[in-house]
């Protein structure tokens, strides 16, 4: 569980701390993997019709919605990663394959990227998207999920948009922003002390919060593993519901194979949280 050296990152200089969170640099073929998702997502969109729902006037303030075919199905809302400053929700459409195969409707949420948007604004946009989605699906169960930066946003939504989310699934997420503020990532994010305090999920735990399951890959960077373990431990200390899962041998990118495949650990956990 949580490493006794959890505060070791405080002793790192900026360059070392940046490397400690450099997921792309740690996985040599990460660019090829992301390109593969984009190609697979484009093919998916050609084969299955979806609906675009705008929750704002911005070009990225929209979500794509896909039906599994069952009336009243629960919904999985997926938030993409890219350290809040890269990628687009269309790049991750293929992540819907597994959940759709298990009987969930799926929404892919877009949001404005940093530095155009602050993390405060990004969080507010995702909350607005979830509330619009809740209106669309009515009483059906809504599970918010995300990977990497999206894992941070999914966990944050359990307090910021608790009226919309019934459960959350955070994959390889960031749950304490304080280390991020000391990395090169902050050049675009420009996090304030107030944002670190208000937008770190581990600092916003509520005793009556919904269940949150945390998943990460066994071959991820130590800081990513620690973030997930510390967040789960903090939730458990408050008696909050949610499981911790490790996908053996998976790095920060390959972990998502467990979502694309209907029999993958992430897809199955999403279905469990959705009550299927």
């Amino acid at each position: 569980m949580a490493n006794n050296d959890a505060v070791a990152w405080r002793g790192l200089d900026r360059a070392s701390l940046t490397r400690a969170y450099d997921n792309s640099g740690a996985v040599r073929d990460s660019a090829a993997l992301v390109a593969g998702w984009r190609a697979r997502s484009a093919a998916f969109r050609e084969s299955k019709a979806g609906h675009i729902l705008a929750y704002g006037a911005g070009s990225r303030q929209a979500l794509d919605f896909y039906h599994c075919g069952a009336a009243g199905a629960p919904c999985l809302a997926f938030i993409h990663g890219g350290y809040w400053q890269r990628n687009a929700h269309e790049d991750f459409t293929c992540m819907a394959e597994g959940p759709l195969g298990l009987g969930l409707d799926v929404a892919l949420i877009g949001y404005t990227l940093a530095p155009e948007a602050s993390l405060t604004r990004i969080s507010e946009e995702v909350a607005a998207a979830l509330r619009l989605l809740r209106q669309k699906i009515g009483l059906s169960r809504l599970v918010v999920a995300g990977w990497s930066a999206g894992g941070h946003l999914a966990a944050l939504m359990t307090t910021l948009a608790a009226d919309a989310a019934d459960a959350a699934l955070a994959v390889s997420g960031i749950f304490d922003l304080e280390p991020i503020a000391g990395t090169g990532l902050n050049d675009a994010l420009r996090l304030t002390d107030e944002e670190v305090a208000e937008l770190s999920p581990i600092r916003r735990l509520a005793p009556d919060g919904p269940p949150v399951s945390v998943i990460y890959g066994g071959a991820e960077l130590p800081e990513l593993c620690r973030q997930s373990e510390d967040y789960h431990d903090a939730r458990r200390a408050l008696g909050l519901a949610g499981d911790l899962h490790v996908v053996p041998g998976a790095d920060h990118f390959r972990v998502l194979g467990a979502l694309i495949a209907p029999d993958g650990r992430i897809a199955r956990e999403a279905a469990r949280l959705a009550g299927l």
Side-chain angles (χ1 to χ4, degrees):
M1 301 304 290
N3 194 319
N4 290 331
D5 297 325
V7 296
W9 66 267
R10 296 184 185 278
L12 298 177
D13 59 31
R14 191 171 192 264
S16 298
L17 188 56
T18 298
R19 285 194 297 273
Y21 280 91
D22 185 4
N23 295 305
S24 296
V27 181
R28 292 184 178 181
D29 60 346
S30 59
L33 292 170
V34 174
W37 294 340
R38 288 176 178 146
R40 186 166 180 170
S41 294
F44 178 92
R45 291 194 300 274
E46 289 183 0
S47 66
K48 186 172 181 62
H51 303 280
I52 300 174
L53 301 175
Y55 63 86
S59 61
R60 288 177 173 265
Q61 293 176 340
L63 59 90
D64 294 348
F65 187 83
Y66 293 90
H67 287 288
C68 68
C75 181
L76 180 73
F78 181 81
I79 310 168
H80 72 81
Y83 273 138
W84 309 277
Q85 54 195 284
R86 294 190 297 274
N87 301 322
H89 71 283
E90 296 92 346
D91 301 336
F92 293 82
T93 315
C94 63
M95 302 302 157
E97 294 178 17
L100 286 170
L102 293 174
L104 288 90
D105 291 339
V106 179
L108 291 302
I109 294 177
Y111 54 88
T112 307
L113 302 178
E116 180 181 349
S118 68
L119 191 51
T120 295
R121 176 179 159 190
I122 291 169
S123 302
E124 291 170 348
E125 288 186 1
V126 173
L130 284 181
R131 291 186 176 113
L132 176 65
L133 188 56
R134 169 59 79 192
Q135 292 174 11
K136 177 178 177 60
I137 68 172
L139 296 176
S140 296
R141 190 166 175 83
L142 176 59
V143 178
V144 56
W147 165 75
S148 197
H152 158 266
L153 291 166
L156 185 61
M157 291 305 111
T158 62
T159 54
L160 199 62
D163 54 329
D166 296 306
L169 178 56
V171 182
S172 305
I174 300 295
F175 306 103
D176 185 359
L177 293 169
E178 187 177 358
I180 299 299
T183 72
L185 295 166
N186 205 36
D187 292 345
L189 294 169
R190 300 188 294 269
L191 293 167
T192 66
D193 291 343
E194 290 76 17
E195 285 179 316
V196 169
E198 291 297 320
L199 303 180
S200 291
I202 199 169
R203 305 183 187 203
R204 291 197 54 145
L205 297 176
D208 57 348
V212 179
S213 287
V214 178
I215 298 181
Y216 66 94
E220 300 219 36
L221 287 168
E223 271 295 285
L224 271 292
C225 299
R226 180 190 67 79
Q227 286 258 1
S228 287
E229 291 168 355
D230 285 359
Y231 178 61
H232 175 72
D233 284 353
R235 289 183 53 82
R236 188 175 60 176
L238 288 179
L240 294 169
D243 295 337
L244 178 68
H245 300 273
V246 180
V247 180
D251 60 41
H252 189 70
F253 295 84
R254 287 177 173 83
V255 70
L256 283 179
L259 176 60
I260 298 173
D263 62 347
R265 183 168 297 187
I266 301 176
R268 288 186 282 112
E269 184 64 9
R272 187 189 71 81
L273 289 170
L276 297 176

